[in-house]
Amino acid sequence: MKKIFAYSSNVIKVFVCIVLFSFTAYAVDIQTDIVIVGAGGAGLSAALSASQGGAKVMLLEKDVTVGGTGNFAEGIFGVETAMQRELWIDLTKDKVFMDEMTEMHWGTNAALVRNFHNHSAATIEWLISQGVKFEGPSHNFYGNNKTWHLIDGLGAGLIKALNEKVVKDKNITLMLETPGRELIIKNGRVAGVKAENEDGEYNIYAKGGVIIATGGYANNIEMVKKYTGLKNPVNIANLKKTGDGIKMAIDAGATTEGLGIVQTIAGKDVPNGGRVDVPLSMLANQPRNIWVNADGDRFCNEWISFDFVSASNSIKREKAVWAIFDTNIRKYYMTEGTDAGIGVIGKAMTKMANFDEIWSTAEKTNDPYIIKGSLKDISKKTGIPYENLKKTVDEYNKNSARNIDPNFAKDRQWLHTLDTSKPLYAIKMKEIILTTLGGIRVNKNLQALNEELEPIEGLYVAGNDAGGLFLGSYSLNSASGTTYGFAVNSGRIAAQDILAKMGKGKK
Amino acid sequence: MKKVLLSIFMISIALCVYAATDGKIISTIVHAEMELACEDCHNTKEPVKRAPVSTCKGCHGNLDGTYKGMLSDDGKLSEKVYPEGNSTKTVNFHNSHQGDLRCTLCHTAHKQPVLYCNECHDFKVLVK
């Protein structure tokens, strides 16, 4: 008995040593000029800008590759660009700035917006010098300012070009699969970042500063529910954006602005765990359809389907939304095309010749969010009260026959009487999150601010982690291309501010 | 002393991991058929983590330190047509627009392989 006890106490000692030792495992110290958390549109731009100004950079990315949602974006904001001049687009910085601030009712960071807009033309020239190719300025809404500069190869094209530069750049060390965990604070200043990966832990000390660029929190369901109030959120094209950067900055004393603002599009709702169905989303989001809510009432002018912001803002308010169209409209979609598109991935006027195939594929998966049948079938399957649904359709048909919409002012172009003697098609709609738009409050140079609105030395926040650009919702009217444009520009501006403070050259 | 304790700790973890995965090659089956041993890829008889891609490229590389897929007869990068979503795409999976990805991302050897591209795309292909 004694022997066993003596033996086991030795084993326990060794075990305790191992356990204790493992907690004091070596963390490697790294010294650098600038450390950037997140290698998306903002992080890649910041890294290259910093390196080209003579700084040494550690670029951390928690995913297995770079770019994040930057791979899915389409165009970059720019004003007074060479491409606009080539097309006789005479927008000025002043006009676009005033349009945008008016749109936001001046409840946003005007100095930040102005700084971003003022840099935008030079940034596009810089991107071109880094190998990014552009198709040119375009519209994504009726009559909106043509500030949206479409990228050749879309977002993935920009990320590819910048990544190729980054991996060849001797000043930049890119660490993939290496999340930043915590900011290092020394003497009241943000001195660096603690990071870790499969090979160990790192304390990365940055003389110049830390730039946080982790893309917002669209993949963090708890944060989305908490800040946006959306129940059952659905998102598209967001990869691992769990709010890491925002949380790190808040822990270091930063204050926030605009948390809860989201950029959403209107599409088809998604059965659990599935991906957004782009063709069916496009078929639902059309001006010729009627949209009814859980009571069976229309609730908007379906013409707003042309503006994804307005469409999703309107849908968001309802308990449930179903788009309904008939066989005549179906034929129109097949032979003439969809009037409204979804950005560039679903082009407007796409002829949906394979409509039946798209529909039957979804039927085969027992998708509960598509229904083909009579008004009674739709009522039964959706729970919408039949009497009210019929009343809505009858009234709509009566008015459409006279080319008027006294309820929601829809233009005659989009008014069709629905043929209820043949099968109708219903698609459940949902607001789908493209990205979150609020985050850390910053000054015009992207320095994070504390609750006294003073800059926190050494801490910068760029891209979707920063707040102050939007009030209420995103907008396509004045400055479309702002999300991706701000990512790239804010990364550049933050890097340049650090370089200036370090006394290094600006490029 | 610290180093000894660390080694003991790491080895015991390794043995646990080894026991869990059994060290069996269930994808990239050719490696099993060739009867490769742990150290041939992991550079150690008791691996604790993924094989470094340098060993993959040592056998499979395009001689310039990269692997960008099978070259065509005239030494050029080749692309093929694959079913994707409701249509097709012409791509070279080893020449991604995302840049260099580590081989072991898809070719997982001890686990079911996965096509990383399908995080966003919808290619109907199987990975070796």
Side-chain angles (χ1 to χ4, degrees), chain A residues 14 17-18 21-22 26 63-66 71-72 156 160 163 177 198-199 239-240 275 279 357-358, chain B residues 2-3 5-6 8-9 48-50 86 96-102 105 116 118-122:
Chain A
V14 169
C17 284
I18 291 171
F21 180 74
S22 67
Y26 303 116
D63 208 345
V64 299
T65 183
V66 303
N71 284 299
F72 299 98
K160 179 170 192 272
N163 186 36
E177 299 184 84
E198 197 199 32
D199 294 325
L239 303 170
K240 299 180 179 148
R275 273 194 207 177
E357 196 191 313
I358 293 168
Chain B
K2 267 188 181 176
K3 277 194 179 154
L5 283 174
L6 176 60
I8 293 170
F9 181 67
V48 295
K49 54 184 185 178
R50 289 189 292 262
N86 289 326
S96 165
H97 62 85
Q98 298 253 268
D100 275 347
L101 305 172
R102 61 174 166 85
L105 197 52
Y116 174 71
N118 281 347
E119 285 269 305
C120 308
H121 292 282
D122 186 20

Side-chain angles (χ1 to χ4, degrees), chain A residues 304-457:
Chain A
I304 59 176
S305 51
F306 285 108
D307 171 19
F308 68 74
V309 176
S310 302
S312 57
N313 280 347
S314 188
I315 284 166
K316 215 193 300 182
R317 298 184 63 257
E318 302 295 332
K319 206 164 107 185
V321 172
W322 289 85
I324 300 176
F325 53 97
D326 67 359
T327 45
N328 294 327
I329 297 174
R330 165 184 160 274
K331 191 159 167 225
Y332 175 85
Y333 294 149
M334 292 176 77
T335 55
E336 305 296 323
T338 47
D339 300 291
I342 297 187
V344 172
I345 56 167
K347 285 195 160 69
M349 301 317 296
T350 300
K351 292 193 173 65
M352 308 293 282
N354 56 344
F355 178 100
D356 291 332
E357 196 191 313
I358 293 168
W359 196 269
S360 64
T361 304
E363 272 178 338
K364 283 195 192 101
T365 66
N366 293 319
D367 190 328
Y369 298 147
I370 58 161
I371 301 167
K372 181 178 164 186
S374 66
L375 217 52
K376 266 218 161 79
D377 293 329
I378 292 174
S379 159
K380 200 161 159 216
K381 289 186 178 160
T382 59
I384 297 173
Y386 174 71
E387 289 308 321
N388 200 40
L389 182 59
K390 184 167 189 311
K391 182 159 163 276
T392 296
V393 171
D394 287 346
E395 188 182 357
Y396 182 80
N397 280 348
K398 195 171 107 200
N399 289 326
S400 298
R402 297 168 59 211
N403 290 321
I404 55 168
D405 176 18
N407 288 327
F408 291 101
K410 189 153 73 170
D411 188 76
R412 62 204 303 282
Q413 280 182 86
W414 319 114
L415 295 172
H416 291 256
T417 51
L418 297 173
D419 183 356
T420 53
S421 71
K422 298 206 183 83
L424 296 168
Y425 296 83
I427 303 176
K428 185 170 189 291
M429 298 189 76
K430 177 83 173 166
E431 71 286 353
I432 298 170
I433 299 173
L434 281 183
T435 185
T436 53
L437 293 175
I440 300 300
R441 181 162 174 163
V442 294
N443 63 16
K444 67 176 185 170
N445 291 320
L446 288 311
Q447 285 186 284
L449 303 180
N450 62 21
E451 278 173 16
E452 300 302 312
L453 304 187
E454 295 154 346
I456 299 173
E457 289 303 317

Side-chain angles (χ1 to χ4, degrees), chain B residues 3 8 17 22 29 39 59-60 66 68 75-76 78 80 88 99 104 107 122:
Chain B
K3 277 194 179 154
I8 293 170
V17 170
D22 204 16
I29 296 292
E39 61 265 29
C59 294
H60 297 280
T66 70
K68 288 204 191 303
K76 293 217 169 67
S78 57
K80 283 209 302 227
T88 62
T104 44
H107 300 288
D122 186 20

Side-chain angles (χ1 to χ4, degrees), chain B residues 6 8 23-24 38 40 48 54 58 74 79 84-85 90 95 98 100 103-104 106-107 115-116:
Chain B
L6 176 60
I8 293 170
K24 230 172 133 188
C38 306
D40 291 320
V48 295
S54 51
D74 51 353
E79 290 182 336
E84 203 256 334
T90 308
N95 190 23
Q98 298 253 268
D100 275 347
C103 316
T104 44
C106 300
H107 300 288
L115 185 65
Y116 174 71

Side-chain angles (χ1 to χ4, degrees), chain A residues 58-76:
Chain A
M58 296 290 300
L59 177 58
L60 307 178
E61 171 52 55
K62 77 174 179 183
D63 208 345
V64 299
T65 183
V66 303
T69 300
N71 284 299
F72 299 98
E74 297 171 339
I76 293 263

Side-chain angles (χ1 to χ4, degrees), chain A residues 473-488:
Chain A
S473 89
Y474 189 63
S475 166
L476 290 179
N477 294 339
S478 325
S480 66
T482 281
T483 320
Y484 209 17
F486 182 70
V488 177

